[in-house]
Structure formats: C-alpha cells, structure tokens
Amino acid sequence: MLKARMQAVVVNAESLFYRGKERIAKLAITRRLPTCVWVRELVDAGALVSYSVDQRGIGRRVAVYVDRILKGEKPADMPVEQPTKFGLIINLKTGRALGLTIPQTLLLRAD
C-alpha cells in the first residue's frame, strides 16, 4: 500500500478479500487509507464505506425465481431483473480513526 502510494483502497467482490476482511481493514486503518467495499460485513470489520446492492433483497428475489422454476416455469421465459435498492453504509468509528469529517449531507443519505 505504501510502495504504491495508495490514497484509498477499493475492495472488489472476491472471496479472498472477504476472508481477509479484518486484516485488510486493520492495514488500511494503520496506513490511514479510506476503504470502500461491497458488503456491510466488511464495514463491520472496519472498512470506511460501502455502497452496494441490497444483498438480502437479492437473496429474496433469487428464492422467488427458484420457487417459480421448481413449479415448472422455464427460466428462459422469466424476465431479467436489475437491482433497484442500494445501500450506503458509513463506519463513523473508522472515519474518526482516519481523522475524517463525514459531511452531514452524506450521513443523511446513509443507511
């Protein structure tokens, strides 16, 4: 992180990053780097912010599709759905540790 002169960290949706979430968060905080991630669990582990689709909502929609398929509906006849609900999660503790002031306008939008 230091060699690359990183100013922030963006963690993509990869299981390797998920398994090492606490270590990544700790390194980023130690190096004073804001971290943007894709799921709430990484924010809970210490990342600064997550803006992503509602994973639980997607899980519920998947269950509806599986139910329809098991009842005989052909997947090719089912419409493709796009996520419509996104969540913004901000870890204020991490923000304070990084010496950041989160703007009130951003806090008002956060979930």
Side-chain angles (χ1 to χ4, degrees):
M1 292 177 175
L2 292 176
K3 279 184 180 180
R5 297 177 139 172
M6 295 172 66
Q7 295 179 349
V9 177
V10 177
V11 179
N12 67 11
E14 170 61 49
S15 62
L16 175 65
F17 294 129
Y18 187 82
R19 286 186 303 207
K21 61 187 175 280
E22 288 89 4
R23 185 172 182 207
I24 292 169
K26 185 177 177 182
L27 283 169
I29 291 170
T30 301
R31 305 293 193 266
R32 302 190 55 77
L33 296 170
T35 308
C36 181
V37 296
W38 83 99
V39 290
R40 170 179 216 107
E41 290 82 5
L42 275 74
V43 174
D44 293 342
L48 177 63
V49 65
S50 170
Y51 182 69
S52 64
V53 297
D54 174 23
Q55 298 289 331
R56 290 184 179 132
I58 288 176
R60 285 188 292 275
R61 292 304 307 154
V62 167
V64 169
Y65 269 57
V66 168
D67 181 59
R68 289 169 60 183
I69 292 167
L70 292 175
K71 289 178 179 174
E73 194 167 342
K74 293 180 182 176
D77 296 337
M78 298 168 65
V80 174
E81 292 185 11
Q82 296 291 324
T84 57
K85 185 177 179 187
F86 294 80
L88 173 63
I89 303 165
I90 302 169
N91 186 326
L92 297 176
K93 181 179 176 183
T94 298
R96 283 190 296 274
L98 295 173
L100 300 174
T101 301
I102 310 297
Q104 188 67 24
T105 54
L106 195 56
L107 292 174
L108 290 172
R109 292 179 179 217
D111 296 298

